[in-house]
Amino acid sequence: MAKKRDGTVNTGDGVPVPNLKTNAHIEFLGNREVAVEGCKGIIEYDQRVIKLNIGKYSVKFCGTDMYMKNMTDEYAVIIGNIFSMEFCS
Amino acid sequence: MLTSFIQYFLGVVVFSAKGPFPERFMNILCRNGIKIWNVRRTEQGITASATIRTYKSLRPAAKKTSMRLKVKKRIGFPFVVRRYRHRWGIPIGAVLYVLTVYLCTIFVWSVDVINDTSVEDGVILKAAYSSGLKPGMLRSSVRPTDTEIDIMGKIPQLSWISVNTGSTRIKVVVNERIVAPEFLGVNDICNLKALKDGQIVTMDIREGKSLVKPGDAVAAGDLLVSGVIDNMEGGVRTVHAYGKVIANTVTKASSTVNLKGTLRKQTDYSEKRLSFVLFGKAIKLYLKKEPAYDNDCASKIQYVNLFGTRLPLGIETKEFIKTENVSFEYTEEEGYEIAKSRLEAKEKRDLGGAEIVDTEEKTTCENGVFTLERTYFCRENIAFEEAIDFS
């Protein structure tokens, strides 16, 4: 299986499968909850801004009344009114 | 829900961490695998929740990042236990409660009979008690199959019995045996014979050879209709003889009444004794002995009911009613009335199917004994079927 530059893996049948070992997996539930899998650490933590390290780059969530409902060494769940998400290098 | 319950059981601490580097503090916790949740940013730091055990392991990370930890709220079972740790009555009460409930469940509270048969509940209960199934015994020692077999053997009227041991109230469910009536089948060969002496009035013979005719006088046991019929070829044909033979009969009945004598009679004086009943065993609540005079004893147990469930405890009231022998003397008129009522009961029982045409009465009074003799002139069916025994 050949690994492409974007991190996807070609299985040979033409359907790219995401490589979850190297990439973070971000899942939104509306604009109220977001789960980040593959989180390496917290860079900034505030009620309006939460910035997480996800390896090669970081991801920034902007909103209001945000807080982390749950956090482990690789997983974080953010709750609040999420307005935007931004990838930062 | 389950998570909340586990958290409550383990005990949760809501704490605040104040200092310049909350992000660093959180990263160290994540890296060390220390779990905290509901992390909210405040002006000076963060507030979060952790279990009691986790909270103790927060201190090295807090020290490293110059954060000051402070407990804001304590939630959970360990804190409740701690709050009441000097109140020994609560755990003792809880243990006693569990013990009492357990003890109550290992004994048989009551034996109930679910019965729609002609056999009285008391008879079934008596048989159950004699088989060893009684209130107060250990539930584990109840042997339903053995008890069922035992009760079935003692009460032959029962066709089926089930001893249900699902709860502390043992239920004995019974069904009655329906005994097939003894009757002659249509194909059984039989004769018709006379049940009583009498003079035949009418005959309605459906099958068989009639040997008597209206107007004939017959005695009890005489053959009225034969089931063996001669045919034209000189042979015989056997049939099930049946029909009605109405005859005028005479039946005599008498009743005697002693006009003088003594009678055992209850007086107004009575004494009551109370006992406490627990699991079928009575504990006397009195010190007096039972009365020495002649008495009739009536016992009644009032069980305690809780929301329709009979508990195995109650109060037994024994009433000793004083009795005495009272001499009596009837007049002949009174004697006649007593004898008449007795005869009427007898008449209803014995002459239920007969039409009473006329009656004659004769009364005698000798040596203080009054006798009422009644002669009934009836019109009734006197034929009964009797199988022919060819053996």
Side-chain angles (χ1 to χ4, degrees), chain B residues 108-170:
Chain B
V108 173
W109 283 26
S110 63
V111 180
D112 298 338
V113 178
I114 299 170
N115 175 21
D116 55 355
T117 67
S118 59
V119 184
E120 285 180 9
D121 288 3
V123 176
I124 296 164
L125 274 180
K126 203 176 169 186
Y129 288 175
S130 65
S131 306
L133 177 66
K134 56 178 82 172
M137 71 183 295
L138 285 171
R139 273 180 66 205
S140 56
S141 61
V142 176
R143 300 274 174 271
T145 314
D146 295 348
T147 312
E148 285 165 12
I149 293 167
D150 208 25
I151 296 173
M152 284 283 282
K154 283 173 183 163
I155 309 171
Q157 296 98 307
L158 302 181
S159 66
W160 175 83
I161 184 167
S162 170
V163 176
N164 300 331
T165 56
S167 68
T168 52
R169 296 174 69 191
I170 306 287

Side-chain angles (χ1 to χ4, degrees), chain A residues 42 45 67-69 71 73, chain B residues 23 27 30 38-39 41:
Chain A
I42 301 158
Y45 189 74
Y67 70 96
M68 287 179 86
K69 188 188 174 190
M71 57 177 281
D73 54 343
Chain B
E23 289 90 353
N27 282 332
C30 288
N38 285 344
V39 187
R41 190 76 161 98

Side-chain angles (χ1 to χ4, degrees), chain B residues 16 21 57 70 73 222 237 317 320 354 371 381 391:
Chain B
S16 68
F21 309 112
S57 57
K70 195 176 179 185
K73 206 174 178 183
D222 281 358
R237 185 167 63 91
T317 311
F320 298 93
T371 308
N381 180 19
S391 64

